[in-house]
């Protein structure tokens, strides 16, 4: 199984930024654990602070990966283009957010991703990525 993890703006600062919301663990440290836990899965990680680069990567990932885990961060609430990119591909996308976006500011309650995603996982800290991996594993083992 091949899974792409796509992270949007400021997620390169995990472990440094707003630790009360996002925790103290870096994504790199978490990703090392994820790879060890799921050694049979080929992961590819892409992070960008630039919306167009995220859209390009989503388009390029179609049919290359069995699934995409997307944390579009702030672009979740502003990017019609990301939503359109997900709608245009056949590869399943699971939207994830480290914090519970519905318990935060009102502008974070709207997602342009969710209507086109296979599912949404929010509020379980950085472990949302593992939960998304598990959702793809469950799907692959379904009759």
């Amino acid at each position: 199984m091949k899974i792409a993890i796509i992270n949007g703006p400021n997620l390169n600062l995990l472990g440094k930024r707003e630790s009360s919301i996002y925790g103290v663990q870096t994504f790199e440290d978490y990703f090392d654990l994820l790879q060890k836990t799921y050694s049979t899965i080929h992961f590819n990680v892409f992070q960008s602070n630039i919306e167009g680069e995220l859209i390009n990567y989503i388009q390029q990932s179609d049919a290359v990966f069995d699934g995409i885990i997307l944390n579009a961060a702030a672009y979740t609430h502003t990017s019609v283009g990301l939503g359109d990119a997900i709608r245009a591909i056949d590869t399943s996308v699971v939207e994830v957010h480290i914090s519970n976006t519905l318990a935060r500011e009102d502008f974070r309650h709207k997602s342009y991703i969710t209507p086109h995603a296979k599912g949404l996982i929010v509020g379980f800290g950085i472990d949302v990525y593992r939960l998304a991996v598990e959702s793809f594993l469950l799907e692959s083992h379904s009759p």
Side-chain angles (χ1 to χ4, degrees), residues 42-53:
H42 171 76
F43 291 101
N44 195 14
V45 175
F46 179 78
Q47 189 279 326
S48 179
N49 295 318
I50 301 169
E51 181 180 16
E53 289 180 359

Side-chain angles (χ1 to χ4, degrees), residues 6-125:
I6 303 173
N7 283 331
N10 299 310
L11 290 170
N12 56 310
L13 298 177
L14 287 176
K16 298 178 193 174
R17 108 182 241 238
E18 297 176 282
S19 59
S20 63
I21 296 171
Y22 301 106
V24 296
Q25 189 172 32
T26 67
F27 184 80
E28 292 77 15
D29 288 343
Y30 180 79
F31 184 64
D32 287 344
L33 293 172
L34 198 64
Q35 286 183 298
K36 289 175 186 167
T37 302
Y38 300 100
S39 59
T40 61
I41 297 176
H42 171 76
F43 291 101
N44 195 14
V45 175
F46 179 78
Q47 189 279 326
S48 179
N49 295 318
I50 301 169
E51 181 180 16
E53 289 180 359
L54 296 169
I55 291 169
N56 286 342
Y57 194 81
I58 288 168
Q59 292 173 355
Q60 293 163 4
S61 296
D62 191 26
V64 174
F65 295 97
D66 300 302
I68 297 170
I69 299 169
L70 173 62
N71 186 340
Y75 288 140
T76 300
H77 321 292
T78 62
S79 180
V80 173
L82 279 170
D84 287 348
I86 293 163
R87 183 174 41 193
I89 65 172
D90 293 324
T91 304
S92 293
V93 174
V94 173
E95 177 185 355
V96 300
H97 297 284
I98 294 167
S99 69
N100 180 352
T101 55
L102 298 173
R104 296 183 64 193
E105 304 93 337
D106 286 346
F107 75 88
R108 296 186 195 275
H109 298 181
K110 170 73 175 166
S111 170
Y112 288 96
I113 310 293
T114 305
H116 313 294
K118 170 189 147 188
L120 169 65
I121 303 170
V122 301
F124 292 96

